[in-house]
């Protein structure tokens, strides 16, 4: 048994801590703020296998299979349901692109199909069908509660002996050759050191700072934080917009009914590079922009009250695919998840835990596709459609 340190207490770090503990490892996880306080508790709840490349489709098909069993495994409610994703096409070119994506998804067992607007209206009753030609519908996509999911993982991880340190910031790493030997952390103003056998950088938007602590270039994995915002309406009767509904041609705008209180969450790719890693201030520009799209998608939304607006980070690599793999002999990274880190966590946590302990994994995760050194080699993957 070795001692493994995880830096970052979002869904990626916590899911990996749980999986490592399940394999019998001794794990300590550091979170500088409170667990979930990074991007995880700000996310839009969406989970989908409707990607446009083999690697992400296969990973997410597997992840959804894990999501289905997670409540039973973690013995806690997490609010997962197959509520579907409905992408909407506004032009003939998009319909053709949808057909190609569907063919690829079907090849890997994802049951997406092209639907007409009559069927779309049955699925989303307030939908404005007029601007749209067709929809790509996968009823097996879904959503879950980020708060409940993170705490379910965390509680089980603690039960299995994980040492979970909240309000504890990693401030330095000690390195000998190509190995990290110790982690320095600050808690209650006091700096302490713990000897470790391996380290996982799960700090997402903050990951470049951790890489620098490991003696690597900050941009060895070029992750940049973009401010991504959401607004939410008052609770509405269930069944209005249960799937995530998105016409990609409209700035990636989307609506999805919160699985808990029925409020409609409205998002869009109206985003800016964050001014700093504390730049959480919501903007009026976004509010105006996103609501314009939301009422075009579902006109009755014009009568709903907005009760919340918030911002978080999409931590993005240049190709919007995460960096997952090894950076040094015993220093690993799983970060840069753009709009997909929540949905991928059950698969990524399991894959990472197996990879760190056995050097391989049964999870269908394409290590070459997500290789953190691909940017150094000047390689970019097909850009992953970024929204949640
Ligand atoms: P984070 O949750 O960001 O966790 C990283 C943690 O590291 C932070 O808590 C931070 O405090 C900690 N940390 C940093 N530095 C240190 C240090 N030195 N010491 C200790 N701790 C440190 N994804 C989906 O799958 N579906 C969606 O519908 C979706 N919608 C989204 C909507 C919005 C508005 C946003 C902002 C994101 C959305 N995402 C969505 C993306 C998703 O939230 C993230 O990809 C995911 O939460 C990343 O999880 P993580 O654990 O990798 O990172």
């Amino acid at each position: 048994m070795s001692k493994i340190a995880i830096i970052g207490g979002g869904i990626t770090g916590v899911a990996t801590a749980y999986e490592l503990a399940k394999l019998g490892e001794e794990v300590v996880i550091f979170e500088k703020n409170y667990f979930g306080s990074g991007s995880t508790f700000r996310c839009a709840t969406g989970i989908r296998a409707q990607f446009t490349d083999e690697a992400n489709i296969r990973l997410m098909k597997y992840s959804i299979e894990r999501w289905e069993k997670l409540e039973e495994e973690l013995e806690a409610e997490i609010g997962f349901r197959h509520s579907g994703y409905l992408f909407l096409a506004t032009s003939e070119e998009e319909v053709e692109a949808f057909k190609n994506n569907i063919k690829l998804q079907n090849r890997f067992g994802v049951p997406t199909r092209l639907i007409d607007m009559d069927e779309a209206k049955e699925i989303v009753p307030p939908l404005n069908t007029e601007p749209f030609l067709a929809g790509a519908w996968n009823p097996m996509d879904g959503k879950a509660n980020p708060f409940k999911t993170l705490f379910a993982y965390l509680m089980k991880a603690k039960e299995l002996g994980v040492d979970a340190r909240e309000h504890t910031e990693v401030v330095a790493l000690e390195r000998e050759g190509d190995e990290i030997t110790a982690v320095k952390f600050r808690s209650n103003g006091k700096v302490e050191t713990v000897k470790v056998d391996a380290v996982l950088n799960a700090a997402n938007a903050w990951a470049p700072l951790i890489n620098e602590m490991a003696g690597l270039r900050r941009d060895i994995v070029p992750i940049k934080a973009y401010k991504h915002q959401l607004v939410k309406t008052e609770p509405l009767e269930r069944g209005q917009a249960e799937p995530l509904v998105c016409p990609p041609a409209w700035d990636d705008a989307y609506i999805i009914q919160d699985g808990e209180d029925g409020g409609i969450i409205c998002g869009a790719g109206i985003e800016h590079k964050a001014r700093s890693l504390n730049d959480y201030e919501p903007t009026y520009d976004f509010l105006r922009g996103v609501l314009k799209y939301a009422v075009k998608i579902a006109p009755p939304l014009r009568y709903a009250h907005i009760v919340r607006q918030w911002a978080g980070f999409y931590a993005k690599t240049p190709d919007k695919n995460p960096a997952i793999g090894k950076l040094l002999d015993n220093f690993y990274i799983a970060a840069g998840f753009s709009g997909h880190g929540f949905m991928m966590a059950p698969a990524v946590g399991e894959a990472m835990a197996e990879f760190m302990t056995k050097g391989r994994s049964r999870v269908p995760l394409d290590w070459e596709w997500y290789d953190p050194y691909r940017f150094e080699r000047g390689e970019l993957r097909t850009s992953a459609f970024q929204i949640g």
Side-chain angles (χ1 to χ4, degrees):
M1 189 169 84
S2 48
K3 182 153 187 146
I4 300 178
I6 297 179
I7 307 172
I11 194 71
T12 306
V14 172
T16 311
Y18 161 73
E19 298 287 350
L20 282 166
K22 236 171 64 178
L23 295 175
E25 298 297 327
E26 185 185 350
V27 183
V28 54
I29 177 166
F30 298 102
E31 167 51 52
K32 71 183 169 84
N33 200 340
Y34 55 88
F35 285 97
S37 60
S39 296
T40 299
F41 284 174
R42 299 163 198 274
C43 98
T45 77
I47 295 166
R48 67 178 157 107
Q50 285 197 64
F51 277 82
T52 54
D53 60 85
E54 178 178 342
N56 284 308
I57 294 170
R58 292 184 67 219
L59 183 71
M60 275 312 304
K61 174 155 189 300
Y62 181 82
S63 202
I64 290 174
E65 285 160 15
R66 284 294 317 269
W67 275 105
E68 286 167 356
K69 299 184 209 111
L70 222 47
E71 283 202 348
E72 202 183 319
E73 179 174 339
L74 300 176
E75 297 178 296
E77 194 200 317
I78 58 165
F80 174 75
R81 63 192 74 177
H82 288 293
S83 43
Y85 261 54
L86 177 60
F87 286 107
L88 296 164
T90 55
S91 66
E92 287 299 345
E93 294 78 61
E94 258 189 308
V95 175
E96 283 314 302
F98 279 17
K99 284 184 185 161
N100 287 334
N101 296 340
I102 288 171
K103 228 187 265 168
L104 187 67
Q105 289 158 17
N106 290 171
R107 228 175 85 202
F108 298 105
V110 174
T112 314
R113 56 193 177 84
L114 201 70
I115 61 169
D116 63 21
M117 283 303 104
D118 289 339
E119 189 171 354
K121 184 101 182 143
E122 278 168 29
I123 297 165
V124 183
L127 184 68
N128 174 18
T129 53
E130 192 262 325
F132 307 118
L133 303 181
W137 167 241
N138 176 16
M140 297 307 280
D141 289 339
K143 59 188 167 194
N145 182 313
F147 303 91
K148 289 182 175 171
T149 306
L150 184 134
F151 285 123
Y153 267 123
L154 187 61
M155 292 309 126
K156 263 284 172 239
K158 284 182 174 173
E159 252 176 64
L160 293 174
V162 169
D163 180 4
R165 308 279 187 105
E166 214 161 17
H167 300 289
T168 304
E169 182 174 9
V170 170
V171 291
L173 299 174
E174 288 178 9
R175 177 172 160 184
E176 280 170 26
D178 275 345
E179 284 203 354
I180 304 296
T181 53
V183 173
K184 273 192 188 320
F185 57 94
R186 189 191 301 118
S187 179
N188 290 323
K190 214 169 106 205
V191 175
E192 290 172 65
T193 304
V194 60
K195 294 257 171 245
V196 293
D197 299 297
V199 176
L200 171 65
N201 177 357
N204 206 33
W206 294 265
L209 304 174
I210 308 297
N211 288 341
E212 195 171 46
M213 289 180 201
L216 297 163
R217 279 202 337 273
R218 191 182 278 204
D219 65 353
I220 195 96
V221 182
I223 294 172
K224 296 209 164 69
Y226 285 79
K227 192 198 274 191
H228 195 81
Q229 300 181 55
L230 295 172
V231 300
K232 189 171 172 188
T233 70
E234 62 193 314
L236 297 174
E237 191 184 331
R238 297 227 65 95
Q240 307 296 307
E242 294 293 346
L244 189 142
V245 184
C246 172
W250 293 359
D251 273 339
D252 299 342
Y254 59 94
I255 61 170
I256 180 171
Q257 195 155 19
D258 187 296
E260 298 291 326
D261 67 8
I264 307 273
I265 297 170
C266 312
I270 306 169
E271 58 180 21
H272 316 278
K273 228 166 115 194
R275 286 193 305 269
S276 74
L277 291 172
N278 295 310
D279 182 13
Y280 287 124
E281 200 180 334
T283 64
Y284 186 59
D285 267 15
F286 175 80
L287 181 69
R288 274 174 60 122
V290 75
L291 292 182
K292 199 176 80 192
Y293 287 129
V295 299
K296 259 169 80 180
I297 296 170
L301 274 180
R302 73 180 65 248
Y303 302 110
H305 294 100
I306 299 299
V307 293
R308 278 189 69 199
Q309 179 180 359
W310 68 94
F313 301 132
Y314 268 18
K316 290 199 235 177
T317 64
D319 59 21
K320 303 191 193 94
N321 286 281
I324 306 173
K326 196 193 259 208
L327 284 171
L328 293 170
D329 283 355
N330 67 346
F331 179 61
Y332 301 81
I333 185 168
F337 282 97
S338 183
H340 321 131
F342 178 61
M343 63 180 81
M344 288 180 172
V348 169
E350 184 183 351
M352 205 65 226
E354 291 182 347
F355 185 61
M356 289 177 80
T357 52
K358 301 175 191 157
R360 69 199 134 70
S361 167
R362 292 162 304 135
V363 176
L365 186 146
D366 183 337
W367 297 96
E368 201 183 317
W369 180 269
Y370 299 111
D371 181 359
Y373 278 117
R374 67 185 182 273
F375 309 104
E376 268 309 89
R377 295 196 299 268
E379 291 170 22
L380 288 185
R381 306 298 177 229
T382 312
S383 190
F385 178 63
Q386 65 167 358
I387 66 141

